[in-house]
């Protein structure tokens, strides 16, 4: 029998607010344990939460960008469970009335578009971290993360294979990062994904019994865990068994999922309305203000790059992968007005050097203006494309302008026909044997003469003029 | 008369004209404490050293001419309100060594005006009780009869005021915990509108019902305390940004034409006949002052207790989850693992009544029971609120007995939680509806026990309550008695 996977994803994204969701503590990552804490996020007696308005603004940004309906009034709830890294014994979250519902994002795989539904987006606080050390009889609790704002984005069970799941996840990640509301760092846990997955016989409408997968901290892990789970569940079903409803943990070292708890051991979170907070009210005016301040999203940017710069879809995809890269490219184009050459340079040497040096765009020693200047002097024939690579390397290493490098190294292209004619004659004189062979019909030797001429000029000869001269000289006699 | 027996407004005059100092008042309070505290046991923690320092500072401030309404007045604080650097036990073993690094907003407000803190008063554990018998720190006695309870949960705060062990005090009221002990101790107690006073720093019992309020010797003192503690607080999202009127301006206003609703559901069997009679006299006195009394109905009254005992324990079960022994407070020794630590800590850190309510609340919120209990109770609560909304279209204030009986004997109801819960039958509704209520003495039983009348008004109409209560107080011809101790 053919089985079809049904996948839904729950994504937790840490929001990039300066302070926590219900107190004034810093959200900075990697600080001394328990240093970013106060009575409120420590859950001391008698303290009360006060909502950070920025969190609502960020959640609304995401909601608009994923075509969700934004609820004018949403409410808070308490999710109750005991754990040492949960100071109050409950998490403040949204349950019955989340901030946004019923949205979608479009994904494209091999030219085919799919629309993945988003059930809801809600705001909540993160828990702290428990640190277990096998060699110590103690566990440690770090509450710096307790109270860091999160949004949870819950998809519909709309994905039918692992590719769709990973594409959806990448799109979501890209939007969050573009909006600058989440840094998207999966390893540090600022972008976390849980997956619900079940199989059903192809053609059947009803869903099968699902497993919930946790602990996948990279796109690759998500892909591998889902692939593993599909095989595992298929094997059970083909063996005539039933898949139990359970929560499973991805074990990255062994590339398998392990059962964490069954349905019977599932927590009863005893959700109820949070009495310490008032409902979140989003006026039409506020929503419009947020909407008007939204940046262009990756999908829109891609479309615009295709039409405005007339570059191939592949280029548009690469260049819009991050807002910073897209901005860099656009600035280069604005200054040099050569979109395709700019695209080649940005995607080629620029990204190669950047990745090699493990730098962010903002840290690049070559600013857009310098790259634009370089493209300009290639275009006007001051230097050849080949020399330009050497110039770029010089720019990267020294931070100097292309003009300075060209001057310093004497790399200006030789376009003086009289001078080049002389050199070409010398080359022909020095390679009589090849000249005879060429004249006897061995046309492919033309390239040889070009190469020799370039070599003689240290690569500075204008290749176009060299070509013309050689053609003229070789056809003589 | 000793200074400690005077009211805030009487002392204010003497402080202002220089005939008395805060240090003298404060010392008289501690002399009284030295002589009666052993019998009454109003306090858990005394703050004598810092109090004398505060009194000296207050005297300087008065001399400089920038005294506020409570400058130099010795106030007792219920031990549920966090006081920076002073242990705040909530009457529980769980917090018996807990020293908060912050002040409750009301405590800070009192500090700002230069009040003097006498000490932290005894209370039912986590404010769960109506007799102050569930405290980890012993039972507070009713100053009028040391064999009887003072009411609760703010029993220590009410007894301290009644026994002149302070000038006024702060209590908290989740279902009657200010008004009921005030009535049983013969003093004035007000629960303000939900949202009128910041809850920040009050150890939470049931967040949607809790309010902090004053317990005082008379109505004018109540108004003075309200002037200081009321107002919006950015640290409490449920406090309301609404201007605070000068509550003292409502004192001594006449009540000609005022309409008083008498809800028939509050005049049922089970009310002590002496209380019944004193309420009838109260109604006549008010009518004599030109008020118009009319019969009204609060039809969902019979569901108040059931509703309250779902909502309050549900919220409490969640509010008290933080006492897990991990970060602060009591932790039981000899744990074998995490679960064992939770079990031992919470089993021995909490008393029987607290555990009973945590279990009721946990059950009510459990999946499969939520709809039948918590959700249903929330729906009924909305109906109770509607009852009050519609009643206040017909009348300015509602009058009821504050309690069904006068103070009962210590131990009498400890084995019967349901009987204990019935003590708050007339006060719960104001918390469920969020409206303000005040309890004012309305006489003494033949046995010499105080009785109280309760007035309730619409949201944020504390002024009306103070107006009618002070008019009644001044004209009731009830002699002001002092308990013999």
């Amino acid at each position: 029998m053919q089985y079809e996977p049904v996948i839904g994803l729950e994504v937790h994204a840490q929001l990039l607010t300066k302070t926590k969701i219900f107190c004034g503590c810093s959200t900075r990552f990697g600080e001394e344990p328990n240093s970013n804490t106060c009575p409120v996020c420590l859950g001391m007696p008698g303290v009360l939460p006060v909502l950070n308005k920025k969190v609502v603004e960020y959640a609304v940004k995401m909601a608009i960008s994923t075509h969700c309906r934004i609820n004018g009034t949403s409410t808070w709830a308490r999710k109750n469970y005991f754990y040492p890294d949960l100071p109050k014994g409950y998490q403040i979250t949204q349950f019955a009335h989340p901030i946004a519902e019923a949205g979608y994002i479009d994904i494209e795989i091999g030219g085919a578009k799919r629309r993945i539904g988003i059930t809801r987006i809600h705001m909540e606080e993160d828990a702290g971290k428990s640190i277990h050390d096998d060699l110590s009889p103690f566990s440690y609790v770090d509450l710096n993360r307790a109270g860091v704002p999160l949004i949870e984005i819950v998809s519909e069970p709309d994905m039918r294979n692992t590719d769709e799941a990973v594409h959806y996840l990448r799109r979501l990640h890209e939007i969050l990062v573009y909006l600058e509301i989440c840094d998207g760092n999966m390893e540090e846990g600022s972008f976390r994904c849980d997956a619900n997955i079940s199989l059903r016989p192809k053609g059947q409408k009803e869903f099968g019994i699902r497993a919930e997968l946790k602990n996948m901290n990279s796109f690759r892990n998500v892909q591998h865990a889902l692939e593993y789970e599909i095989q595992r569940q298929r094997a059970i079903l083909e063996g005539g068994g039933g898949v139990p409803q359970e929560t499973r943990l991805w074990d990255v070292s062994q590339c398998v999922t392990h059962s964490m708890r069954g349905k019977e051991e599932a927590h009863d979170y005893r959700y109820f309305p949070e009495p310490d907070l008032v409902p979140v009210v989003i006026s039409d005016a506020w929503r419009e203000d947020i909407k008007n301040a939204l940046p262009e999203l990756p999908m829109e940017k891609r479309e615009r790059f295709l039409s405005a710069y007339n570059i191939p879809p592949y280029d548009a995809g690469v260049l819009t992968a991050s807002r910073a890269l897209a901005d860099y490219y656009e600035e280069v184009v604005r200054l040099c007005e050569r979109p395709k050459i700019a695209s080649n340079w940005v995607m080629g040497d620029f990204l190669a050097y950047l990745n090699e040096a493990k730098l962010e765009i903002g840290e690049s020693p070559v600013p857009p203006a310098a790259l634009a200047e370089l493209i300009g002097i290639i275009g006007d024939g001051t230097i050849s494309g080949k020399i330009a690579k050497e110039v770029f390397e010089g720019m990267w290493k020294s931070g100097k302008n292309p003009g300075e490098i060209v001057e310093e190294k004497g790399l200006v292209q030789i376009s003086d026909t009289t001078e080049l004619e002389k050199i070409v004659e010398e080359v022909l004189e020095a390679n009589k044997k090849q000249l005879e062979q060429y004249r006897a019909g061995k046309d492919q030797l033309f390239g040889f003469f070009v190469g020799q001429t370039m070599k003689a000029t240290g690569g500075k000869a204008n290749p176009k003029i060299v070509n013309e001269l050689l053609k003229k000289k070789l056809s003589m006699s | 008369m000793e200074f400690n027996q005077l009211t805030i407004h009487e002392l204010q005059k003497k402080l202002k004209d220089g005939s008395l100092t805060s240090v003298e008042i404060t010392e008289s309070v501690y002399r009284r404490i030295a002589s009666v505290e052993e019998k009454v046991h109003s306090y858990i923690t005394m703050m004598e050293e810092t109090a004398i320092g505060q009194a000296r500072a207050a005297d300087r401030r008065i001399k400089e001419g920038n005294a506020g309404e409570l400058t130099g007045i010795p106030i007792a604080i219920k031990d549920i309100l966090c006081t920076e650097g002073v242990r705040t036990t909530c009457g529980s073993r769980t917090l018996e060594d807990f020293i908060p690094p912050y002040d409750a907003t009301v405590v800070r407000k009192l500090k700002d005006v230069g009040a003097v803190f006498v000490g932290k008063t005894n209370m039912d554990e986590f404010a769960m009780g109506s007799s102050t018998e569930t405290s980890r720190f012993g039972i507070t006695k009713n100053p009028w009869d040391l064999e009887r309870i003072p009411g609760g949960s703010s029993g220590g705060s009410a007894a301290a005021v009644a026994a002149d062990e302070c000038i006024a005090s702060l209590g908290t009221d989740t279902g009657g915990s200010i008004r009921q002990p005030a009535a049983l101790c013969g003093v004035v107690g007000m629960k303000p509108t939900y949202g009128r006073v910041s809850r920040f720093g009050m150890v939470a019992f049931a967040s949607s019902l809790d309010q902090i309020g004053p317990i005082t010797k008379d109505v004018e003192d109540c108004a003075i305390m309200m002037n200081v503690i009321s107002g919006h607080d950015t640290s409490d999202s449920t406090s309301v940004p609404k201007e605070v009127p000068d509550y003292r301006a409502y004192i001594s206003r006449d009540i000609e034409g005022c309409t008083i609703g008498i809800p028939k559901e509050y005049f049922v069997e089970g009310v002590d006949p002496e209380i019944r009679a004193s309420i009838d006299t109260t109604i006549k006195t008010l009518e004599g002052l030109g008020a118009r009394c009319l019969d009204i109905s609060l039809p969902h009254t019979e569901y108040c207790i059931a509703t309250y005992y779902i909502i309050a324990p549900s919220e409490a079960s969640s509010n008290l989850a933080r006492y897990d022994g991990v970060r602060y407070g009591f932790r039981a020794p000899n744990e074998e693992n995490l679960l064992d630590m939770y079990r031992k800590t919470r089993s021995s850190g909490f008393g029987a009544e607290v555990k009973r309510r945590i279990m009721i609340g946990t059950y009510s919120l459990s999946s499969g029971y939520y709809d039948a209990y918590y959700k249903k109770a929330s729906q009924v609560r909305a109906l109770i609120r509607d009852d009050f909304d519609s009643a206040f279209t017909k009348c300015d204030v509602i009058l009821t007995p504050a309690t069904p009986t006068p103070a009962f004997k210590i131990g009498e109801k400890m084995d019967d939680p349901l009987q204990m819960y019935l003590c708050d039958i007339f006060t719960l509704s104001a918390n469920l509806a969020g409206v303000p209520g005040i309890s004012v003495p309305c006489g003494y039983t033949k046995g010499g026990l105080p009785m109280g009348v309760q007035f309730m008004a619409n949201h944020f109409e504390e002024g009306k309550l103070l107006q009618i209560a002070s008019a009644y107080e001044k004209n009731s011809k009830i002699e002001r008695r002092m308990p013999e101790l």
Side-chain angles (χ1 to χ4, degrees), chain A residues 82 88-89 270, chain B residues 92-94 125-126 316-326 330-332 338-352 354-355 358-359 362:
Chain A
F82 284 95
K88 299 185 294 297
R270 307 190 310 280
Chain B
S92 180
R93 183 183 194 189
T94 289
E125 186 180 9
F126 284 102
S317 71
S318 173
N319 281 332
L320 271 63
R322 67 189 63 194
Y323 308 113
D324 55 7
V326 173
F330 173 76
R331 181 196 287 192
L338 180 63
L339 198 59
D340 189 53
M341 182 187 92
Y342 284 156
R343 280 203 183 113
K344 284 179 174 154
T345 297
R346 290 171 64 82
S347 296
S348 52
F350 294 136
V354 171
K355 280 186 274 192
I358 289 173
M359 285 188 279
T362 304

Side-chain angles (χ1 to χ4, degrees), chain B residues 270-311:
Chain B
V271 178
D272 180 276
E274 287 191 90
I275 289 182
R276 181 70 195 250
S278 81
I279 295 294
D280 288 343
T281 312
T282 302
I283 292 172
K284 286 201 186 76
T285 304
L286 291 165
E287 282 176 333
L289 295 170
R292 196 165 60 84
C293 294
L294 63 152
D295 291 331
I296 59 159
S297 173
L298 297 167
H300 296 92
T301 300
E302 64 170 306
Y303 303 111
C304 282
I305 288 212
T307 304
Y308 179 86
Y309 279 98
I310 296 297
I311 305 253

Side-chain angles (χ1 to χ4, degrees), chain B residues 309 353 356 413-423:
Chain B
Y309 279 98
E353 182 60 27
R356 174 157 40 237
K413 298 187 180 181
M414 273 307 268
D415 298 328
D416 191 345
L418 273 181
Q419 279 304 310
M420 191 71 96
Y421 295 172
L422 286 170
C423 296

Side-chain angles (χ1 to χ4, degrees), chain B residues 22-23 26-27 49 51-61 116:
Chain B
S22 174
V23 171
T26 306
E27 284 171 350
E49 265 176 46
I52 298 297
Q54 283 177 314
R56 287 203 190 97
D59 284 330
R60 279 195 298 277
R61 191 165 160 177
V116 173

Side-chain angles (χ1 to χ4, degrees), chain A residues 43-46 78 80 87 268, chain B residues 102 201 318-319 322 327-328 367:
Chain A
M44 296 193 75
R78 290 186 186 177
N80 296 283
D268 179 357
Chain B
Y102 46 90
S318 173
N319 281 332
R322 67 189 63 194
R327 298 168 312 286
Y328 54 79
S367 96

Side-chain angles (χ1 to χ4, degrees), chain A residues 39 42-50 78 80 82-84 87-88 90 143 268 270-273 275-278, chain B residues 82 98 102 199-202 207 234-238 318-319 321-323 327-328 338 342 362 365-367 370 374:
Chain A
L42 290 176
M44 296 193 75
V47 299
L48 295 169
V50 176
R78 290 186 186 177
N80 296 283
F82 284 95
Y83 205 67
K88 299 185 294 297
Y90 56 84
L143 295 174
D268 179 357
R270 307 190 310 280
Y271 286 99
F272 77 106
D276 285 333
L277 289 166
V278 292
Chain B
C82 287
F98 176 66
Y102 46 90
R199 293 184 295 116
F200 182 86
M202 170 191 173
S207 313
T234 50
S235 301
D236 175 2
S237 314
T238 64
S318 173
N319 281 332
R322 67 189 63 194
Y323 308 113
R327 298 168 312 286
Y328 54 79
L338 180 63
Y342 284 156
T362 304
L365 292 175
S366 297
S367 96
Y370 180 88
Y374 183 84

Side-chain angles (χ1 to χ4, degrees), chain B residues 260-482:
Chain B
I260 299 171
I262 316 288
K264 60 172 193 260
E265 292 83 2
Y266 286 67
F267 293 84
V268 288
E269 254 180 79
V271 178
D272 180 276
E274 287 191 90
I275 289 182
R276 181 70 195 250
S278 81
I279 295 294
D280 288 343
T281 312
T282 302
I283 292 172
K284 286 201 186 76
T285 304
L286 291 165
E287 282 176 333
L289 295 170
R292 196 165 60 84
C293 294
L294 63 152
D295 291 331
I296 59 159
S297 173
L298 297 167
H300 296 92
T301 300
E302 64 170 306
Y303 303 111
C304 282
I305 288 212
T307 304
Y308 179 86
Y309 279 98
I310 296 297
I311 305 253
S314 294
E315 292 183 11
S317 71
S318 173
N319 281 332
L320 271 63
R322 67 189 63 194
Y323 308 113
D324 55 7
V326 173
R327 298 168 312 286
Y328 54 79
F330 173 76
R331 181 196 287 192
N334 306 322
E335 74 272 15
E336 278 162 21
N337 53 44
L338 180 63
L339 198 59
D340 189 53
M341 182 187 92
Y342 284 156
R343 280 203 183 113
K344 284 179 174 154
T345 297
R346 290 171 64 82
S347 296
S348 52
F350 294 136
E353 182 60 27
V354 171
K355 280 186 274 192
R356 174 157 40 237
R357 297 204 196 187
I358 289 173
M359 285 188 279
I360 293 171
T362 304
Y363 183 83
S364 305
L365 292 175
S366 297
S367 96
Y369 299 97
Y370 180 88
D371 286 356
Y373 294 99
Y374 183 84
K375 193 174 168 195
K376 184 66 77 184
S378 301
Q379 289 163 340
V380 177
R381 183 181 185 179
L383 296 176
I384 292 166
R385 202 175 293 147
D386 291 347
D387 281 358
F388 278 89
D389 282 349
S390 86
F392 287 123
T393 62
K394 301 186 190 80
C395 60
D396 294 311
V397 296
I398 292 170
L399 179 153
T400 76
T403 62
T405 66
F408 50 89
K409 289 263 171 70
I410 289 167
E412 197 180 314
K413 298 187 180 181
M414 273 307 268
D415 298 328
D416 191 345
L418 273 181
Q419 279 304 310
M420 191 71 96
Y421 295 172
L422 286 170
C423 296
D424 294 329
I425 186 162
F426 297 142
T427 46
L428 297 173
S429 56
N431 299 80
L432 289 169
V435 300
I438 190 170
S439 168
V440 185
C442 67
Y444 299 87
T445 63
K446 288 190 197 83
L449 293 173
M451 298 179 287
V453 57
Q454 174 181 230
F455 300 103
M456 292 180 278
N458 210 344
H459 296 99
F460 297 101
E461 291 192 334
E462 284 83 356
K464 273 188 188 171
L465 289 184
L466 293 162
Q467 182 180 357
I468 205 141
S470 79
Y472 168 69
E473 181 185 63
K474 288 198 161 64
N475 295 283
S476 65
K477 299 187 191 90
I478 299 168
E479 84 275 34
R480 187 167 161 197
R481 295 189 202 172
M482 304 281 176

